[in-house]
Amino acid sequence: MKQQVPAAPRRNFVTRFLDGVERVGNRLPDPAVLFLLLMLATWAISALLSNVSFSEIDPRSGDPVVINNLLSGASLTAFMATLVSTFVNFAPLGVVLVAMLGLGVAEHTGFINALLRAILSITPKLLLTPALIGVGILSHIAVDAGYVLVIPLGAVIFYAAGRHPLAGIAAAFAGVSGGFSATFFIPSSLDPMLAALTQEAARIVAPAAEISPLNNFYFTSASTVLVVLVGWYLTDRVIEPRLQATAVDGDASDMPTMEPLEPNERRGLWAAVGAMAVAIVLFALTLLPEGTPWAADPATLAPGTRPLLAFTAPLMQSIVALIFLFFLIPGVVYGYVAGTAKSHRDIIEGMSKAMSGMGYYIVMAFFAAQFIYAFSQSNLGVLLAIKGANTLQSMGLHMSLTLVGIVLLSAAVNLLVGSASAKWALIGAIMVPMLMQLGISPDLTQAAYRVGDSSTNIITPLLPYFPLIVVFCQKYVKSAGVGTLLALMLPFSITLLVVWTAFLVGFWALGFPLGVGSSYAWPAG
């Protein structure tokens, strides 16, 4: 039986436009192959420009920029000799894999599943929408949990409350994916991963650049409130009223249900939350004493720098390890108390499953590392950064307009490339050093990228989970298709893009700190 296709009248201009985007995006090479092609192009261009004299001054040496020929014998042998070290020293690789070990245990034992169900089950009806969006934002710290758990649960909860289930799907999707760059006051694996990529890009023109893994933490935490309020208003005042004319005609027996927590799950959840609370209190106590080993040596810091928050502080260097423990401890405790983990082998199995799911990321990271290495060695990045900065400077754009441009570029690229890390590795290598030449910090450029990336996540059919969410919709409305979901999510996308961009510009205008160890200007201070 063929899958039902939405009726022709429902295929409006937006649907046809996004269908075209999907066709174009599907013709693009896989991100891993795209990095390989870019590396080969970098080699070829470096050979062509190696004999050209440029007037631009390399900020690292004070001499005119010289393009290195990567096809020379010395460059090719150096590439082969450093291929392995380039890959294993690629900063985002270790960051993601270590964080995922702890998250994998928490997900495998059922701790994350039970925690999200418990939060949603005790939420008053009046606060159902903001709570669902907030849980969606919270869920993306466990990578895929939001897509496979929170979004279908959103439909179940709305349906049980007498509300339209598609509105629940829309609200949950807005939180999980539209709010992907909001952090809900808990750092996720995305924060250090993006910061590591930003650092790699910044070092193209400033080899000693250091980027804090929490460089956007204050901004993304404050953004949580913004995303929840925008999603709450749109769901209750725009999306749900429009859905009143859409009949729920799915098979009642096939509709999912949200099962209450079993006694063993409740015991496990209480024990896990208690263990996590004790661990946090004990950790906080180690930060209090004067001269705590978590702090950097004050004698090595600039005046006014907080020893605990300096980039060189062991605390800041341990963010990924702390994320690992933050999920490992409750995941293990939950597993043993709830009975979902019988022995240490179950814990290792959870870690192994998490790693097996990272196979594609590892392949992509290999090619991304080689491309960034080649781009850096060729000096093409420095040349592009200086020429681009000179062009922007001659245009005389206000800083706020430059920020808006970064957001819009990121939003557009997001329609064609699904992976957040792949997109930032691609465009960050050019944007970060170029804007550093204009005095814009890598921290601010990264924040602008995150706004554009998150805002259009929910309207790109290239999102790997987009077809799955269409299936969730079809459980309740049989005629639902891609156009149905796009029509649901477009108001969220446009509103978030406009309001969140304005929020970022306001953050900058008022001088609120973006995060720990971050700045708006380059060089900092």
Side-chain angles (χ1 to χ4, degrees), residues 75-100:
S75 294
L76 287 174
T77 53
F79 170 78
M80 294 299 293
T82 59
L83 185 141
V84 174
S85 60
T86 298
F87 175 48
V88 298
N89 293 323
F90 188 52
L93 181 65
V95 163
V96 173
L97 296 184
V98 171
M100 283 303 302

Side-chain angles (χ1 to χ4, degrees), residues 15-91:
T15 301
R16 293 195 299 272
F17 168 74
L18 289 168
D19 284 347
V21 170
E22 181 177 13
R23 287 192 294 272
V24 172
N26 284 338
R27 292 191 178 100
L28 286 175
D30 184 273
V33 175
L34 192 57
F35 281 120
L36 173 62
L37 295 175
L38 287 171
M39 185 190 73
L40 296 176
T42 299
W43 285 3
I45 294 171
S46 72
L48 293 174
L49 297 181
S50 60
N51 293 320
V52 178
S53 298
F54 296 97
S55 60
E56 284 76 14
I57 302 300
D58 190 330
R60 300 167 298 182
S61 64
D63 299 322
V65 174
V66 175
I67 302 301
N68 297 319
N69 181 5
L70 298 185
L71 290 180
S72 68
S75 294
L76 287 174
T77 53
F79 170 78
M80 294 299 293
T82 59
L83 185 141
V84 174
S85 60
T86 298
F87 175 48
V88 298
N89 293 323
F90 188 52

Side-chain angles (χ1 to χ4, degrees), residues 182-307:
T183 56
F184 214 38
F185 310 105
I186 299 175
S188 71
S189 58
L190 182 68
D191 294 283
M193 179 186 70
L194 290 181
L197 286 168
T198 302
Q199 180 171 285
E200 295 277 346
R203 287 182 173 178
I204 291 175
V205 295
E210 300 281 3
I211 304 298
S212 168
L214 299 180
N215 65 330
N216 291 160
F217 186 57
Y218 301 149
F219 172 70
T220 53
S221 295
S223 296
T224 301
V225 178
L226 177 77
V227 174
V228 169
L229 291 177
V230 168
W232 189 0
Y233 176 82
L234 290 175
T235 301
D236 291 0
R237 299 299 180 89
V238 178
I239 303 301
E240 197 159 19
R242 175 180 169 272
L243 287 171
Q244 295 306 312
T246 303
V248 178
D249 57 1
D251 185 355
S253 63
D254 190 42
M255 292 183 185
T257 59
M258 188 178 76
E259 300 295 334
L261 292 175
E262 298 292 337
N264 66 310
E265 293 178 313
R266 290 187 181 278
R267 289 193 302 272
L269 191 57
W270 278 112
V273 171
M276 187 163 54
V278 170
I280 291 173
V281 170
L282 292 176
F283 172 68
L285 292 176
T286 67
L287 301 176
L288 297 178
E290 181 111 20
T292 171
W294 290 109
D297 182 359
T300 64
L301 304 176
T305 303
R306 297 180 181 179

Side-chain angles (χ1 to χ4, degrees), residues 62 67 116 132 183 205 283 349 353 390 408-409 484 506:
I67 302 301
L116 296 179
L132 180 59
T183 56
V205 295
F283 172 68
E349 182 183 354
K353 287 180 66 175
N390 290 340
L408 294 178
L409 173 63
T484 306

Side-chain angles (χ1 to χ4, degrees), residues 213-430:
L214 299 180
N215 65 330
N216 291 160
F217 186 57
Y218 301 149
F219 172 70
T220 53
S221 295
S223 296
T224 301
V225 178
L226 177 77
V227 174
V228 169
L229 291 177
V230 168
W232 189 0
Y233 176 82
L234 290 175
T235 301
D236 291 0
R237 299 299 180 89
V238 178
I239 303 301
E240 197 159 19
R242 175 180 169 272
L243 287 171
Q244 295 306 312
T246 303
V248 178
D249 57 1
D251 185 355
S253 63
D254 190 42
M255 292 183 185
T257 59
M258 188 178 76
E259 300 295 334
L261 292 175
E262 298 292 337
N264 66 310
E265 293 178 313
R266 290 187 181 278
R267 289 193 302 272
L269 191 57
W270 278 112
V273 171
M276 187 163 54
V278 170
I280 291 173
V281 170
L282 292 176
F283 172 68
L285 292 176
T286 67
L287 301 176
L288 297 178
E290 181 111 20
T292 171
W294 290 109
D297 182 359
T300 64
L301 304 176
T305 303
R306 297 180 181 179
L308 272 175
L309 300 182
F311 183 84
T312 55
L315 176 63
M316 290 296 100
Q317 299 288 330
S318 303
I319 292 298
V320 177
L322 292 172
I323 293 174
F324 165 71
L325 292 175
F326 185 81
F327 290 100
L328 177 67
I329 292 172
V332 171
V333 171
Y334 177 89
Y336 281 113
V337 175
T340 56
K342 304 298 183 183
S343 71
H344 66 278
R345 288 182 174 82
D346 294 310
I347 306 302
I348 300 303
E349 182 183 354
M351 292 183 177
S352 301
K353 287 180 66 175
M355 290 299 99
S356 66
M358 298 304 295
Y360 173 74
Y361 175 80
I362 293 173
V363 172
M364 188 191 72
F366 172 79
F367 289 103
Q370 307 309 325
F371 160 66
I372 291 176
Y373 169 81
F375 199 59
S376 176
Q377 292 297 306
S378 68
N379 277 344
L380 286 173
V382 176
L383 182 64
L384 282 173
I386 298 172
K387 283 186 174 293
N390 290 340
T391 301
L392 287 174
Q393 195 169 33
S394 65
M395 294 171 66
L397 294 178
H398 192 268
M399 171 79 112
S400 58
L401 293 179
T402 302
L403 288 179
V404 171
I406 301 170
V407 172
L408 294 178
L409 173 63
S410 302
V413 173
N414 191 37
L415 295 174
L416 300 173
V417 182
S419 167
S421 56
K423 282 191 297 290
W424 189 228
L426 281 168
I427 62 179
I430 296 174

